[in-house]
Amino acid sequence: MPDSHPFSARSLSGFTGRATPFAAAVVVWLAACGGGSATDRPGGNELAAADASADAPAMCAMRDTTALRVAVLDYITTADPRPQRFLSTFGTDSALPEDGFKSLQDKGPTYYYNDNPKNQAQVRAKLDEAGPYTTMLVVYKGKKESDNGNTVTVMLGGHYIGGEHEGKAAAVREITVRCDSTGWRVPSSATTPAAPAAAPATPGA
């Protein structure tokens, strides 16, 4: 794959001292009289499930990936035609946040692209020089959370730049990502009709 420089985005207490026999007995007695595990109490199974559900977002947050990163990866790897390199706007509401942007970089050369004609001409020249690879401008349309943060729905769209697919709109999709014991996963996704093809003069449209 060609180097994307200079437009590439390649350039996250206890007891102290000796315990007396009496103190030790008190500790044992307190342990024996404790509430036990969540599953031992009335409604314990439900409480345990609720606790696990509440802890899930924190567990997923400790992993190397995020819901947005997983959603973007799903979007670009299921796009038709499948892109081989990527564009992303910057400084606008439609720009991908950093974690989503990394998904693009993981899959191919990635360039910044905005609505400045000079920037567009420079990027297009760089793309033409590198070769006829399928290129997609990925557009971020927001996200919403539900289920105490366990479920995240990410809205993505885009269109193709250059080559035989110039101006072709990519399907606008709402991708649902859920946190489970193994991390963030895509159990389902909904695809809405793509916007009509249009000249990509305004990134983020």
Side-chain angles (χ1 to χ4, degrees), residues 151-166:
T151 302
V152 180
T153 299
V154 180
M155 287 72 76
L156 297 167
H159 49 260
Y160 294 86
I161 302 292
E164 61 179 311
H165 304 296
E166 171 70 39

Side-chain angles (χ1 to χ4, degrees), residues 167-182:
K168 179 179 179 180
V172 175
R173 296 179 56 201
E174 292 188 352
I175 302 174
T176 299
V177 186
R178 293 196 177 94
C179 177
D180 61 23
S181 60
T182 60

Side-chain angles (χ1 to χ4, degrees), residues 28-180:
V28 172
W29 180 80
L30 288 174
C33 294
S37 66
T39 54
D40 293 333
R41 300 193 296 272
N45 289 333
E46 291 78 4
L47 290 172
D51 289 343
S53 177
D55 290 341
M59 178 272 295
C60 284
M62 292 187 295
R63 296 182 179 274
D64 293 334
T65 190
T66 66
L68 180 58
R69 193 166 181 173
V70 170
V72 172
L73 180 62
D74 183 76
Y75 185 78
I76 61 179
T77 56
T78 58
D80 184 22
R82 183 166 177 172
Q84 298 165 294
R85 57 191 177 186
F86 309 93
L87 303 176
S88 177
T89 63
F90 59 94
T92 70
D93 291 341
S94 61
L96 279 171
E98 182 179 1
D99 48 346
F101 193 81
K102 289 178 180 177
S103 282
L104 303 185
Q105 294 179 299
D106 288 344
K107 300 306 291 185
T110 303
Y111 304 80
Y112 284 122
Y113 193 76
N114 62 26
D115 57 2
N116 183 293
K118 182 178 180 180
N119 168 265
Q120 291 188 8
Q122 290 175 324
V123 173
R124 283 178 176 272
K126 184 69 175 179
L127 296 176
D128 290 343
E129 178 184 346
Y133 300 103
T134 302
T135 307
M136 177 191 283
L137 171 64
V138 181
V139 178
Y140 176 63
K141 296 179 176 292
K143 67 178 182 178
K144 54 188 177 182
E145 297 183 1
S146 59
D147 188 26
N148 295 320
N150 288 312
T151 302
V152 180
T153 299
V154 180
M155 287 72 76
L156 297 167
H159 49 260
Y160 294 86
I161 302 292
E164 61 179 311
H165 304 296
E166 171 70 39
K168 179 179 179 180
V172 175
R173 296 179 56 201
E174 292 188 352
I175 302 174
T176 299
V177 186
R178 293 196 177 94
C179 177
D180 61 23

